[in-house]
């Protein structure tokens, strides 16, 4: 099978982003992935936390679909060494040409390295330095089996200016998560016109605005109380102590991170990211039950987001 490079058009303007597959049985995941593809979304992004590892999840989703791009959002570099990640990337790229997008991110804390087959494997370090070394080690990893005709694309979970610059320099681009529209404009300026920019946008599809805001606030609170890099980024975007006090995010912060309301409101937020410089927006549907598959919402949003 002859491979082809993944393009911006290949992902389309809108995709799905979800953690919900992690707690679902494999058969249910296959069915949902196939339906998402038929709904017309251009890409299916999935997180990596405490369920399936990113490589196994990619195989499950790619094998259940025919055309849609499957993207890790993100594969955590603290969970596996570059040799293992490079081997998985090559295998997935060879088996599913032009359909696998590897998003990399994560956190390591000290600055040491080991030698494997003559190349340096970074184990811990400052974020940008560690990511650069990780990418270099992936590129240096020897291939002992089939390789794809065209190497799969990579993106970085970049937020700050230095990581955004690295994303533009060493990968296809960036996959910012938990960001307001203003960050999308900043990221586009930082990376220039050529780098790919695929932005995650959390949404609550519910015309009961008070109930929707409660779901949105729980989502935002979960990150500002447990993810220091996300807190640092929202501070970088102009949010202060009054927006973060006591782990209770202000309405201003909640409204900046999560779009909630009817289809028109959510479509407007996606369009705002596109107008600010995003090439692709992947929508994370939030519900009162975080473990539930939001299939009704994906179905309702598809006509507006895919073609609107």
């Amino acid at each position: 099978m002859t491979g082809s490079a993944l393009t911006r058009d290949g992902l389309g303007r809108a995709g799905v982003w979800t953690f919900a597959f992690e707690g679902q049985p494999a058969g249910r995941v296959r069915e949902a992935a196939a339906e998402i593809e038929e709904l017309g979304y251009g890409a299916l992004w999935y997180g990596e936390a405490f369920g399936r590892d990113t490589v196994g999840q990619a195989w499950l989703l790619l094998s259940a679909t025919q055309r849609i791009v499957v993207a890790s959002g993100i594969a955590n570099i603290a969970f596996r060494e570059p040799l293992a990640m490079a081997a998985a990337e090559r295998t997935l790229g060879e088996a599913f040409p032009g359909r696998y997008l590897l998003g990399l991110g994560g956190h390591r804390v000290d600055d040491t390295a080991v030698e494997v087959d003559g190349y340096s494997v970074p184990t811990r370090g400052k974020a940008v330095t560690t990511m650069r070394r990780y990418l270099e080690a992936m590129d240096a990893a020897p291939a002992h089996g089939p390789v794809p005709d065209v190497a799969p694309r990579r993106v970085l979970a970049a937020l700050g200016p230095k990581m955004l610059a690295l994303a533009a320099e060493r990968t296809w681009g960036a996959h910012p998560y938990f960001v307001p529209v203003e960050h999308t404009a900043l990221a586009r300026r930082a990376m220039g016109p050529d780098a790919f920019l695929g932005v995650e946008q959390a949404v609550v599809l519910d015309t009961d605005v008070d109930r929707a805001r409660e779901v949105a606030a729980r989502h935002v609170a979960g990150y500002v109380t447990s993810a220091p890099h996300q807190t640092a980024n929202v501070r970088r975007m102009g949010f202060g102590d009054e927006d973060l006090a006591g782990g209770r995010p202000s309405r201003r912060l909640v409204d900046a991170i999560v779009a909630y309301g009817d289809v028109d409101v959510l479509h407007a937020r996606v369009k705002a990211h596109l107008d600010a410089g995003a090439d692709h927006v992947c929508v994370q549907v939030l519900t009162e039950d975080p473990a539930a598959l939001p299939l009704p919402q994906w179905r309702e949003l598809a006509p507006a987001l895919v073609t609107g």
Side-chain angles (χ1 to χ4, degrees), residues 125-144:
K126 294 181 179 179
V128 175
T129 301
T130 300
M131 183 59 75
R132 182 182 293 276
R133 291 176 178 172
Y134 193 95
L135 293 169
E136 290 170 352
M138 283 188 67
D139 290 341
H144 299 297

Side-chain angles (χ1 to χ4, degrees), residues 54-230:
T54 191
V55 179
Q57 193 76 284
W59 273 106
L60 182 58
L61 297 171
L62 286 162
S63 63
T65 54
Q66 300 295 320
R67 302 174 304 278
I68 197 170
V69 173
V70 170
S72 62
I74 51 78
N76 195 324
I77 66 171
F79 292 178
R80 59 193 60 82
E81 297 301 338
L83 180 65
M85 193 72 259
E89 179 188 45
R90 289 169 181 157
T91 303
L92 289 163
E94 191 261 338
F96 303 96
R99 293 185 55 215
Y100 177 56
L101 176 59
L102 173 60
L104 292 167
H107 315 288
R108 297 179 171 213
V109 293
D110 62 14
D111 192 7
T112 58
V114 296
E115 293 290 324
V116 177
D117 289 347
Y119 65 92
S120 178
V121 177
T123 56
R124 302 280 186 254
K126 294 181 179 179
V128 175
T129 301
T130 300
M131 183 59 75
R132 182 182 293 276
R133 291 176 178 172
Y134 193 95
L135 293 169
E136 290 170 352
M138 283 188 67
D139 290 341
H144 299 297
V147 298
D149 294 331
V150 179
R153 300 283 198 183
R154 298 173 190 163
V155 293
L156 301 184
L159 294 173
K162 292 181 180 179
M163 192 66 80
L164 287 165
L166 180 64
E169 174 194 348
R170 291 300 309 270
T171 73
W172 195 33
H175 172 47
Y177 179 96
F178 197 80
V179 293
V181 172
E182 291 78 9
H183 185 275
T184 297
L186 179 154
R188 176 52 70 202
R189 291 194 299 271
M191 295 197 301
D194 297 330
F196 171 77
L197 182 56
V199 180
E200 178 268 349
Q201 174 61 58
V203 303
V204 183
L205 180 58
D206 191 340
T207 55
D208 184 326
V209 176
D210 291 338
R211 183 173 60 201
R213 188 181 298 119
E214 288 180 8
V215 173
R218 285 198 298 271
H219 174 76
V220 175
Y223 282 94
V224 299
T225 58
S226 64
H229 64 296
Q230 297 292 2

